[in-house]
Amino acid sequence: MALGVGLRIVFVAAYPTHPFSDFRALVDFALRLRDHGLAAPGWGWVQFNPGMPLVLSVLFRVAPADPASAARLATATASGLTALLPFLIWRPVLAYRWRMLAGLLLALWPGQVFFSGVVAQENWVLPPAVALACLGVRALREGRGRGYPIVAGLLLAVSAAIRQEMLLVLLPLALPAAGVSRRRYALLFALAAGAPLLALAGQRYAATGRFALTSEHGGLGLLGSAVPGSAAAGWVDPTPHVASLDPELVKDGKRLRQASYGLAAAEWKRRYRFHVFRAAVAGLRLGVQSDSDNLYWSVGANEALPEQRRDAGAAFAARWTSWLRWELALVQGLFAAALVVGLRRRDPAILALCAAVFLKLAIQVLVSPLGRLMVPAVALELLAIALAAASLRGARQHLLPLAFAGAIAAALLLAVPPLQALAVAKDEAPRRVARFPLALPGGKAFAECSMEEGRLVALAFNRARIAMHGGTASPGETARVSCLLPATHPDLPLELRIEDPYAPGGFPGRILERVSIDGRVVFSHDLAGEPGAGVLEVPLTGDGAARPSRFAFEILAVRPDPGWAWGAASAATFELSAGAAP
């Protein structure tokens, strides 16, 4: 416990990760449940399952002053306590040394230690998922029709409440844990899992009018993994792709989410050979790079750390990226060896753990193959490795599996980079978006926008992100969007909020951000002139002037120094929001 919790607390104290992106949305969802009741409507229901926000909403009642810090420390503590579970649950079926090994593997797992301050569902699902896995192994090792149906059902429900796919992933472990071969146990298991899951579906219905266990973003997850240009990152925002096909569909979020399943199926049908190859490569990539990819969320991103710790975070990520690739490749090698041991010995406990891992991997290569989503799978792999080690006797029996593990690890490290490069080379360029709608405050009216230069890389209702074609600024290159405001748009103050993404300063005249209203330049900002990144606010209406009909936003590469890393300055996000009342 000292290692599991202590290491994580020390790390998050040194690198206090601030929730951003989906993690900020999860904290906001929890605050909404705290402040407006457990059935409070809101956007969070579209994207997330309510389990983790429910837990955080209780925590925020106890610690209301600083929700972000409370959530970060609670996440690190919960994930650290997971290391105790195999040590305690396997006591009747496994010797002390092997229970200690399983606990130490989880406690000292560097990829999760460095990710433990991120307020992510993947961290919060670890305790119930690992507990259920350990219970399934215990029931299989005890035999004689043993089962724990009520505890197994509750743990499965809790896991699914946090991450919906765990309802399927954990079945190979939940069924033996419950002892469903006995009819009475099967009924108790169904009741123990079904009652809380029905309550969660009822909660979603009360908040949204939709009786379901699942969120609504599954189709977008599928589509974002299949659209042209997704092979490099694994998943990209599919909304620009939809806008390139049918801009009107983007105006209705519900229709967009429903149509995304059909669009994803069409992409798979159109390029099925490529997608099979891409999915296979994504699985191999996840097996090597998941832990190192997660450094972006904890210390690498500009928004992840306080300003005074950003340089230290960037240095930490650069120092540990290669080591984490080696670490995870070795885990995959040992897991492959554990699978072989399980097959040769016909060990149902090891094989059940392996089945759950492969189910999780299969889901992720189809839907959002992102590194952080594999955290629960790696935890199950570590359990399988400990079980396989315990089943071997003597040093001689361990030598061949260790050699096999080393060979698999080396093969992965050598094969993944060229295979990933080939998948990216075989991928198509993203479709060009000619026009797209951008919602005005209130969401009842839309500006009709046209991409005049550059490309649209992300779109989210009232927010868009544009970038230069090359990914970095070249002299004379421009990204420009022009938007026509509706003639009947609401009579309220309107402003354009623009991202300044470039923190370094002292390099004036290189790259500019500029806003024009009806052809007249009203705002110009030198991105690299002064240090610091942030958000700029440009009023579009007010001061008694006539309401504009069109505005334009552009990023201009005036004279960027050749060979410099101008990537951060080559793209920017902007959104329409309600301005301050006069």
Side-chain angles (χ1 to χ4, degrees), residues 67-223:
S69 295
R72 178 172 59 251
L73 289 173
T75 303
T77 302
S79 61
L81 288 172
T82 303
L84 284 173
L85 296 172
F87 183 80
L88 298 175
I89 296 173
W90 285 351
R91 185 175 183 182
V93 297
L94 210 61
Y96 176 87
R97 71 174 74 176
W98 304 116
R99 292 187 290 120
M100 179 64 77
L101 174 64
L104 287 175
L105 287 174
L106 290 171
L108 300 175
W109 171 16
Q112 203 284 317
V113 171
F114 302 157
F115 186 63
S116 61
V118 180
V119 188
Q121 294 167 302
E122 295 74 34
N123 281 329
W124 278 90
V125 83
L126 283 176
V130 169
L132 182 55
C134 293
L135 203 62
V137 168
R138 174 171 168 169
L140 287 167
R141 288 289 171 91
E142 287 176 329
R144 302 184 304 277
R146 292 297 299 270
Y148 308 88
I150 295 176
V151 177
L154 292 174
L155 287 172
L156 181 63
V158 171
S159 300
I162 298 172
R163 283 216 60 94
Q164 59 200 29
E165 77 279 1
M166 300 305 286
L167 186 61
L168 175 63
V169 169
L170 292 174
L171 274 183
L173 294 155
L175 296 179
V180 294
S181 59
R182 301 174 64 176
R183 184 176 300 177
R184 175 170 165 267
Y185 280 11
L187 179 60
L188 287 173
F189 171 69
L191 290 173
L197 291 176
L198 283 174
L200 287 171
Q203 182 192 16
R204 187 181 291 275
Y205 178 78
T208 68
R210 178 174 172 265
F211 187 82
L213 288 174
T214 58
S215 61
E216 300 178 53
H217 76 295
L220 292 175
L222 279 168
L223 183 57

Side-chain angles (χ1 to χ4, degrees), residues 28 110 371 466 492:
D28 290 341
I466 63 172
L492 49 78

Side-chain angles (χ1 to χ4, degrees), residues 235-319:
W235 187 91
V236 296
D237 176 18
T239 316
H241 178 79
V242 177
S244 72
L245 301 172
D246 183 2
E248 291 301 310
L249 190 57
V250 178
K251 294 182 179 180
D252 189 331
K254 187 174 183 178
R255 281 185 59 221
L256 170 63
R257 293 187 292 273
Q258 292 172 344
S260 58
Y261 289 99
L263 294 173
E267 279 297 318
W268 268 86
K269 183 178 179 180
R270 186 175 69 86
R271 298 192 295 163
Y272 68 93
R273 290 187 182 89
F274 167 75
H275 285 303
V276 170
F277 173 69
R278 175 194 56 79
V281 173
L284 295 174
R285 176 179 57 81
L286 289 173
V288 175
Q289 295 181 196
S290 295
D291 281 357
S292 58
D293 287 349
N294 290 343
L295 289 173
Y296 173 82
W297 303 109
S298 59
V299 297
N302 211 37
E303 310 98 307
L305 294 172
E307 187 172 355
Q308 64 271 21
R309 296 295 295 160
R310 287 174 186 167
D311 289 343
F316 185 92
R319 185 166 59 250

Side-chain angles (χ1 to χ4, degrees), residues 454-551:
R455 57 195 176 94
L456 178 72
V457 294
L459 179 62
F461 205 53
N462 69 326
R463 183 183 301 112
R465 183 172 179 83
I466 63 172
M468 297 178 186
H469 279 296
T472 188
S474 301
E477 193 172 4
T478 301
R480 176 183 169 88
V481 60
S482 177
C483 298
L484 179 66
L485 292 168
T488 57
H489 61 83
D491 188 18
L492 49 78
L494 189 65
E495 71 179 18
L496 192 66
R497 294 171 57 86
I498 302 169
E499 175 191 24
D500 174 359
Y502 199 72
F507 310 104
R510 270 72 164 183
I511 299 179
L512 302 179
E513 287 182 334
R514 198 159 65 187
V515 177
S516 303
I517 297 178
D518 290 334
R520 179 173 57 89
V521 175
V522 298
F523 175 82
S524 183
H525 172 65
D526 192 325
L527 272 176
E530 298 293 333
V535 176
L536 311 167
E537 298 174 351
V538 182
L540 298 179
T541 61
D543 297 330
R547 299 191 66 81
S549 61
R550 183 181 293 275
F551 72 89

